[in-house]
Amino acid sequence: MAIESSCDETAAAVLRGGRTILSNIISTQIPVHRKFGGVVPEIASRKHIVNIMPVIDEALGQAKVQLRDIDQVAVTYGPGLVGALLVGVSAAKALAFSLGVPLIGVNHLEGHIFANFLSDTTLEPPFAALVVSGGHTALVHVKGYNHFTMMGQTRDDAAGEAFDKVARVMGLPYPGGPQIDKLAREGNPLAIDFPQALRDDGSYEFSFSGLKSAVLNYLNSMRQKGTEINRPDVAASFQRAVIEVLAAKSFDALEETGMDTLVLAGGVAANSALEARLREEAAKRKIRFVYPSPILCTDNAAMIGCRGFYQARAGKFADGYLNAVPGLGLSDVEDV
Ligand code: KG4
Ligand code: ZN
């Protein structure tokens, strides 16, 4: 049984072994938060409390298993909103304690990478993972199931955060990423030359806060001049600036490390133009490109279960003192 409640999705899944999904239930709070233009942490916590037991029940029901069949419980303990995380962590601890089974604390970002093991059951390390979510943007060298090296991450905003902020200044509803994705399909990505920060600096670090300001400045100056704004062009050009940086750094990383597989992970992996750009470039370079199916791209518990399975196999369990760690990041993990 795996549980995920780090942000605005209450999710539970049942897996058999590490790679077979028996059920994957997601109760989203997006409609609740939309009228506020973003996730309201206190409301999220309360909704998780209401939803957690029904979601767990549904996951058991759909998997056609009973509570007594559950032999391990995995849960996201960070990063995320503290109140939201605590609901899942408390439920998982209670479940593991009452069933007398091991508890596994999972890093949500590692979970996003492991979503790929569910989408492509033949995938095995080593590979390079580009993690692009609402809160993080990073390149990770996945050397083994429990052995990761960080290659670089964002200095400021995450890619998803940039999508959400730009969508907001364009008056698009929350969450902005899918809205920009849709609008951009009708626009010209070469219409406006937005900055591609750190693109060719030789590092694996990212920076998206300047891009967000550039879009804002562009919109303001067009409004001041009274020039009509072509919204699809703005969306497509902004999206291109993000994608070009992500693609350039990902393929540099593959070249430097000599790896032949690129894995895409996190909510922004659902972006159709990003997926298409990486797929096209990978084909040119004879690189294997793997990305999760849409349901496994955004937050879900199946990916947490998959990560938890491989941690358990390495003997990495949590105990009753497991706590939420809102600021948990991705860091090097050494196989022992
Ligand atoms: O991984 P995720 O579901 O939650 C976090 O762990 O942060 O990622 C959510 C992020 C949001 O910023 C959302 O706008 C973005 O993923 N996102 C997208 C798309 N779908 C979701 N960004 C661009 N294009 C999309 N199609
Ligand atoms: Zn996520």
Side-chain angles (χ1 to χ4, degrees), residues 108 112 133-135 160-161 163-164 175-178 181 266-268 270-271 297-299:
H108 179 85
H112 273 302
S133 75
E161 200 174 349
F163 270 93
D164 293 339
D181 188 351
V268 184
N271 185 273
C297 277
T298 43
D299 292 347

